[in-house]
């Protein structure tokens, strides 16, 4: 400090002498210049990184420093310190090397202060310590690995703030992931790197839009076969009358239709023959086209909702209901990556209301069940590339034989004492998804499905069997080969 005071005195004396000699510099200007020299010397004395030299003063000297985690700071005091008070020992720790020299070690992110007291219990210095992540290495990483971006990295209150401009949403996600791994090494969340300490303020020029064209096709085939004979007989033994009845049930359910005929076996032994065979085919097709911004979700449902009871009011005797959706549902979330590639998360579901597994909660209320086929996948595709989810095949076969013990096992004749029930169900679901990068178009470039449609007049509708008005012949270019066309052809009248 003695050397510093000599420098200050010499500089001030030089300025005063120069003022008296030249007589063109005012006393105020000389004073301001002298203060600038003194302040410059003080700032220079405390400018060393990782080192603070506290000047001797009758008042408390305050300093605010920013340290990286696990870094140290050397503090030199002008006089001996007796007590050191730390606001939060979890953030910073002080190691006293001597009465005038101490080391401050940054332990955890946050802010605290350290106060030094002398032997007379007067405060020597108050040092405010801010512990923040060292973002210098992260900023250099962005400059070398992502040179086309302009990412600014800052640290505040233990968090990393990313700001600036990048080219696409994919670069935003990549920068946030890198920053998350940098500040939370080894920590992993559900979606990948832990980014809870990363504040994302990055922007990019435009958010790409993705159009997803999906074809959902489901084929179902079922076969039912039922065969059984019911016998009944009435005979007399002496004065007693003995009746016999055999009704063989269908364990898998009695289907309506088929053959239900009575057969007389002679005497008083009538019988009823039951026979049924059913074959059915069901096709379900949905081709939704959805558009969503990169990073956002879009959903689609083609079906309906059915009510189910959710509560009962005993006072009024009313039942409250809620509705559950069923049908063909689709939800997808696209993320546009570099070079036009698209990361696609697709959730599809095909459901239907079924009587199988239904149960009755009262005489008037029966709750149905729902058959569901559901898929969830995440893939990466180029624009225009297709994804096929196939092999979703389900086949169930049920066969039941019901009858009278012992008699149903007799060859040939046992047919009279048993019923055979057979059900076979086969289902296959195929999903084809194709994403495209799209832009908005002018309204004049779009066509409505009912464009040019006009209902036919009474004459053509009643006597000619036409549904809509038709004029001209040929295709849009005016060329048609009538020999290859059957029925009315031409243009839908838009007049």
């Amino acid at each position: 400090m003695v050397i510093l005071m000599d420098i200050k005195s010499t500089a001030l004396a030089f300025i005063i002498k120069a003022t008296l000699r030249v007589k063109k510099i005012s006393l105020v200007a000389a004073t301001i210049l002298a203060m600038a020299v003194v302040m410059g010397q003080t700032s220079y004395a405390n400018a060393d990184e990782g080192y603070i030299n506290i000047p001797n003063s009758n008042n408390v000297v305050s300093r605010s420093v920013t340290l990286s985690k696990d870094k140290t700071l050397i503090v030199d005091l002008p006089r001996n310190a007796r007590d050191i008070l730390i606001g939060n020992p979890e953030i910073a720790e002080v190691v006293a090397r001597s009465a005038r020299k101490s080391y401050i070690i940054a332990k955890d992110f946050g802010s605290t202060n350290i106060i030094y007291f002398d032997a007379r219990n007067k405060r020597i210095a108050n040092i405010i310590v801010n512990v923040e992540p060292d973002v210098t290495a992260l900023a250099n990483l962005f400059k070398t690995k992502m040179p086309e971006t302009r990412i600014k990295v800052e640290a505040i209150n233990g968090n990393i703030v990313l700001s600036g401009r990048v080219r696409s949403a994919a670069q935003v996600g990549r920068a946030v992931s890198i920053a998350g791994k940098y500040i939370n090494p080894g920590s992993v969340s559900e979606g990948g790197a832990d980014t809870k300490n990363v504040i994302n303020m990055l922007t990019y020029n435009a958010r790409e839009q993705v159009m997803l064209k999906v074809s959902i096709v489901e084929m179902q085939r079922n076969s039912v076969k039922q065969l059984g004979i019911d016998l009944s007989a009435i005979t007399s033994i002496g004065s007693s009358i003995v009746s016999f009845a055999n009704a063989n049930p269908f364990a898998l359910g009695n289907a309506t239709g088929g053959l239900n005929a009575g057969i007389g076996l002679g005497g008083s032994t009538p019988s009823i023959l039951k026979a049924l065979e059913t074959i059915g085919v069901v096709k379900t097709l949905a081709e939704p086209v959805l558009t969503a911004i990169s990073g956002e979700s879009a959903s689609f449902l083609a079906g309906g909702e059915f009510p189910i009871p959710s509560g009962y009011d005993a006072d009024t005797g009313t039942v409250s209901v809620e509705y559950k959706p069923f049908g063909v549902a689709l939800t997808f979330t696209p993320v546009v990556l570099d070079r036009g590639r698209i990361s696609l998360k697709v959730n599809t579901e095909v459901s239907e209301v079924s009587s199988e597994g239904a149960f009755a909660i009262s005489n008037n209320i029966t709750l149905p069940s729902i058959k569901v086929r559901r898929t969830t996948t995440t893939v990466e595709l180029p624009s225009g590339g297709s994804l096929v989810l196939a092999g979703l095949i389900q086949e169930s076969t049920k066969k039941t034989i019901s009858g009278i013990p012992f008699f149903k096992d007799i060859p040939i004749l046992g047919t009279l004492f048993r019923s055979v029930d057979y059900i076979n169900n086969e289902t296959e679901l195929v999903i084809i998804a194709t994403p495209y990068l799209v832009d908005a178009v002018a309204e004049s470039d779009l066509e409505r499905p009912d464009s040019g449609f006009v209902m036919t007049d009474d004459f053509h509708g009643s006597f000619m069997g036409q549904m809509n008005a038709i004029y001209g012949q040929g295709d849009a270019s005016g060329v048609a080969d009538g020999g290859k066309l059957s029925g009315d052809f031409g243009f839908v009248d838009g007049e």
Side-chain angles (χ1 to χ4, degrees):
M1 272 322 279
V2 176
I3 298 177
L4 185 59
M5 293 300 296
D6 291 344
I7 294 176
K8 296 177 183 178
S9 302
T10 304
L12 184 60
F14 172 78
I15 292 173
I16 295 175
K17 291 180 181 179
T19 304
L20 295 175
R21 184 170 55 250
V22 179
K23 296 183 180 180
K24 292 184 179 181
I25 302 177
S26 64
L27 182 60
V28 176
T31 305
I32 295 174
L33 183 58
M35 291 176 61
V37 174
V38 173
M39 291 176 62
Q41 294 293 336
T42 305
S43 175
Y44 177 79
N46 296 327
D48 294 339
E49 183 178 0
Y51 173 77
I52 292 181
N53 186 9
I54 305 298
N56 193 10
S57 175
N58 293 327
N59 299 322
V60 58
V61 179
S62 296
R63 292 287 185 271
S64 180
V65 296
T66 300
L67 294 177
S68 301
K69 187 178 178 180
D70 299 328
K71 296 300 178 64
T72 59
L73 175 70
I74 302 174
V75 179
D76 276 340
L77 301 176
R79 55 185 182 272
N80 294 340
R82 187 185 66 179
D83 297 324
I84 301 175
L85 177 62
I86 305 175
N88 189 349
E90 300 295 331
I91 296 177
E93 180 183 359
V94 178
V95 177
R97 178 68 178 84
S98 63
R100 296 194 179 189
K101 183 183 291 291
S102 63
Y103 306 139
I104 299 177
I105 304 174
K107 298 175 60 178
D108 200 358
F109 298 129
S111 179
T112 187
N113 68 321
I114 301 172
I115 303 177
Y116 294 87
F117 297 90
D118 59 11
R120 294 179 297 174
N121 204 26
K122 292 184 62 177
R123 291 181 298 170
I124 304 174
N126 178 25
I127 301 177
I128 301 174
V129 181
N130 300 304
V131 182
E132 303 289 355
D134 186 4
V135 297
T136 304
L138 182 60
N140 294 333
L141 180 64
F142 286 140
K143 290 181 180 179
T144 56
K145 300 302 181 182
M146 303 175 67
E148 70 280 3
T149 62
R150 298 179 179 178
I151 301 177
K152 183 179 179 180
V153 184
E154 297 176 299
I156 179 171
N157 197 24
N159 299 313
I160 292 181
V161 181
L162 301 181
S163 59
R165 182 174 294 275
V166 296
R167 291 185 177 181
S168 63
Q171 291 184 339
V172 173
R174 188 179 307 160
V176 172
S177 178
I178 293 174
K181 293 180 179 178
Y182 180 84
I183 192 173
N184 300 310
S187 179
V188 178
S189 63
E190 183 178 354
D194 188 359
T195 60
K196 64 181 180 180
N197 297 108
V198 180
I199 302 175
N200 179 20
M201 299 182 64
L202 295 173
T203 59
Y204 53 96
N205 297 329
R207 302 190 68 179
E208 296 88 344
Q209 297 185 95
V210 179
M211 182 184 71
L212 181 66
K213 180 180 179 181
V214 181
S215 297
I216 303 174
V217 183
E218 183 183 38
M219 295 296 298
Q220 298 183 26
R221 184 175 63 180
N222 57 78
S223 175
V224 178
K225 296 180 182 180
Q226 293 179 340
L227 177 62
I229 299 177
D230 294 344
L231 297 177
S232 62
I234 300 176
T235 183
S236 61
I237 302 176
S239 61
S240 300
I241 298 175
V242 179
S243 63
F244 170 79
N246 172 34
N248 295 318
F250 293 118
L252 300 181
N254 291 320
T256 59
L259 176 63
N260 192 341
I263 303 175
L265 299 179
S268 58
T269 310
S271 62
I272 299 176
L273 173 64
K274 296 179 181 180
L276 172 68
E277 182 175 358
T278 302
I279 297 176
V281 176
V282 178
K283 174 185 176 182
T284 303
L285 174 63
E287 291 186 322
V289 178
L290 302 177
T291 303
I293 298 175
S294 176
E296 303 295 335
S297 299
S299 59
F300 164 85
L301 175 63
E305 295 182 342
F306 68 97
I308 61 172
S310 60
Y312 176 75
D313 190 347
D315 297 333
T316 61
T318 58
V319 178
S320 58
V321 297
E322 64 180 11
Y323 291 86
K324 295 293 184 180
F326 69 93
V328 180
L330 167 69
T331 302
F332 84 104
T333 305
V335 176
V336 180
L337 307 177
D338 291 339
R339 296 181 295 276
R341 298 190 65 84
I342 304 170
S343 175
L344 196 64
K345 182 178 181 181
V346 182
N347 300 325
T348 56
E349 180 179 302
V350 178
S351 59
E352 60 180 333
V353 181
S354 174
S355 59
E356 295 183 13
F359 65 96
I361 59 177
S362 68
N363 295 331
N364 300 324
I365 299 178
T366 301
L367 298 182
S369 63
I370 302 180
K371 291 183 178 180
V372 180
R373 279 78 66 196
R374 183 184 296 115
T375 60
T376 300
T377 183
T378 302
V379 294
E380 183 178 326
L381 297 172
S383 179
S386 296
L387 163 71
V388 179
L389 298 177
L392 304 176
I393 301 174
Q394 180 182 6
E395 181 177 358
S396 62
T397 302
K398 300 177 183 179
K399 185 174 183 180
T400 303
I401 298 177
S402 303
I404 302 175
F406 179 72
F407 294 98
K408 69 180 180 62
D409 298 327
I410 299 176
I412 301 177
L413 294 177
T415 306
L416 303 175
F417 302 95
R418 66 174 177 257
S419 63
V420 180
D421 202 358
Y422 172 81
I423 295 178
N424 182 40
N425 293 321
E426 296 177 354
T427 302
E428 181 176 3
L429 178 63
V430 176
I431 301 171
I432 303 174
T434 306
Y436 299 92
L437 289 176
V438 295
D439 294 322
V441 297
E443 185 180 1
S444 58
D445 297 333
L446 303 177
E447 287 291 340
R448 293 171 45 182
D450 62 344
S451 213
F453 177 78
V454 176
M455 294 296 294
T456 186
D457 54 26
D458 294 339
F459 174 79
H460 288 84
S462 301
F463 296 100
M464 307 301 294
Q466 295 181 358
M467 298 294 295
N468 54 271
I470 298 177
Y471 74 97
Q473 292 193 359
D475 56 15
S477 62
V479 179
D481 187 358
K484 296 182 179 181
L485 301 176
S486 61
D488 295 327
F489 61 92
F491 307 122
V492 177
D493 192 356
E495 299 296 332

